[in-house]
Amino acid sequence: MSLEIERKFTVADGWRVPPGTTGEQLRQAYLSPQGAPVEFRVRSKRDARVMTVKTFDAASGAMVRQEVEFEIDDAVFTQLWDLAGGDCLSKYRWNVPLEHHVATVDEYDGALAGLRVVEVEFDTLEEARSFEPPDWFGEEVTGSPAWSNRVLAASARAVPDEQGETR
């Protein structure tokens, strides 16, 4: 099990993808109900299918979660995707280099089109707390339930299924 330490922000109006920035299409579906203490998610990216289990580390606050992630085969992914009951989303993730970190900018598709958020992961809680976001970061939404991908997926029921078809 690993710890995920991150802060999350909106993206300021007018931000453009810097030249040479890499990215990938992601699709993910949530299997646990909103508000559950443990979150179960399946994700498709490029040729990989993964299952992720996350839980908040109550002692460390909203920036820290315990995480277990492992690959699953396509057949298992499809079965789990179907069990999600439409609590899924699709987004394009850009990896933007910062001075000492990488900012991951998610641009959502489907019902969430136009929504953009940025996350930065850290090695330590102290590093996360001392991080000074660049000007193109908007409001900080770390720990805000309304900005969690789990809640966003539930609010975006008309997004593509595992073959890219809209439900």
Side-chain angles (χ1 to χ4, degrees):
M1 186 173 341
S2 63
L3 284 181
E4 177 185 67
I5 304 169
E6 71 181 14
R7 289 176 63 186
K8 188 174 195 174
F9 302 81
T10 61
V11 176
D13 290 339
W15 178 80
R16 299 286 179 252
V17 178
T21 301
T22 62
E24 64 186 331
Q25 187 71 38
L26 303 174
R27 291 176 294 114
Q28 54 198 53
Y30 292 84
L31 301 160
S32 49
Q34 287 188 61
V38 178
E39 180 181 282
F40 294 87
R41 173 190 80 200
V42 291
R43 175 183 279 171
S44 170
K45 56 183 179 177
R46 293 190 186 128
D47 293 331
R49 309 291 177 264
V50 294
M51 173 85 174
T52 306
V53 181
K54 292 186 181 189
T55 185
F56 283 100
D57 181 11
S60 302
M63 282 188 262
V64 180
R65 293 187 284 185
Q66 295 177 7
E67 178 181 77
V68 176
E69 189 169 79
F70 52 92
E71 285 198 38
I72 57 176
D73 67 31
D74 289 345
V76 171
F77 174 83
T78 299
Q79 291 173 48
L80 293 173
W81 183 277
D82 290 342
L83 289 176
D87 283 354
C88 51
L89 54 82
S90 176
K91 59 188 176 180
Y92 198 86
R93 174 165 284 173
W94 298 100
N95 299 304
V96 181
L98 298 177
E99 187 174 334
H100 299 289
H101 301 90
V102 174
T104 57
V105 177
D106 290 340
E107 292 190 85
Y108 293 85
D109 300 331
L112 298 172
L115 178 63
R116 296 185 306 190
V117 297
V118 57
E119 298 175 350
V120 180
E121 291 193 16
F122 304 93
D123 293 328
T124 67
L125 195 52
E126 294 75 29
E127 186 181 13
R129 288 181 177 144
S130 66
F131 175 72
E132 293 291 330
D135 292 343
W136 59 272
F137 282 36
E139 173 190 1
E140 182 161 12
V141 294
T142 303
S144 172
W147 287 92
S148 75
N149 279 312
R150 174 67 192 92
V151 171
L152 292 174
S155 68
R157 295 223 177 233
V159 295
D161 64 14
E162 71 275 3
Q163 279 83 36
E165 301 291 324
T166 301
R167 292 181 181 214

